[in-house]
Amino acid sequence: MKPPEGTVAPKKSFFTRDTMEVAKDLLGHFLYVEKEGQRLGGRIVETEAYLYRNDPACHAARGLTERNRSMFKAGGIAYIYFVYGAHHCLNFVAGPEDEGTAVLIRAIEPVEGIEDMRRRRPKAKRHEDIANGPGKLTIAFGLTKEDDGTDLLKGHIRVFLDREMIGKRPKIVITTRIGINHGADKKLRYYIADHPCVSRK
DNA sequence: GGGAAGATGTTCT
DNA sequence: GAACATCTTCCCT
């Protein structure tokens, strides 16, 4: 996939850094998915960090299992899992190999292939409701656990950096994570201040 | 506009 | 058998 105009592809070293830094640095940049010749794209506006140490909410906290296998690979691949019998969630694995740490992508502002996303998300009345939640965005982008383990530098799921945003982060709000019971006091959720596509204030 | 609860199936104890 | 990184609907204010 060629980077869209005005963007550049990050190197692998972008993902193998500290998870919290990756989670913050992703804000304002783009997620692209190419399937069946269709290209879908959106700006990442909300993320959460799941750490490899002292974080009971992280799927990797209890060791390697069949489901979380991808998390233990080196940063730069997708970890996609199924929850609540109904939804998939997209993560980017971060850090070096065997740490089991990742960034959950919680919300996106659609920018390309919007009609295609709307077809999959008929319930979304407003533009900002198309992908303003982790389950919603995987529906909009057509991602399932079949896509788990995809290489973010070579595969059909990509990250592209907005040239104008490199080195200057947007204004970021930091809060506790959403929808978890263990480790709920940790402030590891990040979103772009005042952005309409954020899942919750 | 917001809280409560049901749906759903996979994973792990 | 319980828990679960959620979404939607329904009912209340």
Side-chain angles (χ1 to χ4, degrees), chain A residues 43-46 105-109 131-134 137 197-199:
Chain A
R43 196 184 286 275
I44 298 166
V45 301
E46 178 178 346
I105 310 302
R106 283 195 56 91
I108 271 176
E109 173 195 358
N132 61 342
L137 84 86
C197 296
V198 165
S199 68

Side-chain angles (χ1 to χ4, degrees), chain A residues 8-38:
Chain A
V8 288
K11 297 199 169 82
K12 191 169 182 73
S13 57
F14 177 87
F15 296 102
T16 52
R17 296 175 298 144
D18 177 78
T19 310
M20 293 184 281
E21 293 302 305
V22 176
K24 285 185 269 192
D25 283 340
L26 283 166
L27 295 175
H29 296 291
F30 299 101
L31 166 72
Y32 271 83
V33 173
E34 197 165 57
K35 274 196 166 178
E36 294 150 14
Q38 251 286 7

Side-chain angles (χ1 to χ4, degrees), chain A residues 117-160:
Chain A
M117 294 187 196
R118 281 207 114 92
R119 222 168 295 133
R120 293 204 199 63
R121 293 260 319 131
K123 302 227 166 95
K125 295 280 181 277
R126 304 175 309 155
H127 178 253
E128 52 266 43
D129 291 331
I130 293 174
N132 61 342
K136 298 178 191 175
L137 84 86
T138 53
I139 297 170
F141 281 80
L143 296 172
T144 69
K145 59 184 179 171
E146 300 291 308
D147 303 295
D148 177 52
T150 299
D151 190 325
L152 299 172
L153 295 139
K154 299 179 196 158
H156 61 284
I157 305 172
R158 297 291 182 98
V159 171
F160 293 116

Side-chain angles (χ1 to χ4, degrees), chain A residues 48-60:
Chain A
E48 282 179 3
Y50 286 83
L51 309 180
Y52 73 104
R53 256 203 289 244
N54 284 333
D55 186 7
C58 183
H59 284 177

Side-chain angles (χ1 to χ4, degrees), chain A residues 51-72:
Chain A
L51 309 180
Y52 73 104
R53 256 203 289 244
N54 284 333
D55 186 7
C58 183
H59 284 177
R62 300 188 181 214
L64 178 74
T65 65
E66 191 55 39
R67 178 213 219 182
N68 66 23
R69 183 178 303 282
S70 296
M71 281 192 99
F72 289 91

Side-chain angles (χ1 to χ4, degrees), chain A residues 71-130:
Chain A
M71 281 192 99
F72 289 91
K73 296 186 180 169
I77 68 165
Y79 167 48
I80 304 177
Y81 64 89
F82 192 63
V83 267
Y84 293 118
H87 302 288
H88 294 274
C89 292
L90 169 68
N91 300 253
F92 297 156
V93 177
E97 193 174 355
D98 283 331
E99 289 202 340
T101 174
V103 177
L104 171 69
I105 310 302
R106 283 195 56 91
I108 271 176
E109 173 195 358
V111 298
E112 188 174 328
I114 296 172
E115 288 315 304
D116 208 43
M117 294 187 196
R118 281 207 114 92
R119 222 168 295 133
R120 293 204 199 63
R121 293 260 319 131
K123 302 227 166 95
K125 295 280 181 277
R126 304 175 309 155
H127 178 253
E128 52 266 43
D129 291 331
I130 293 174

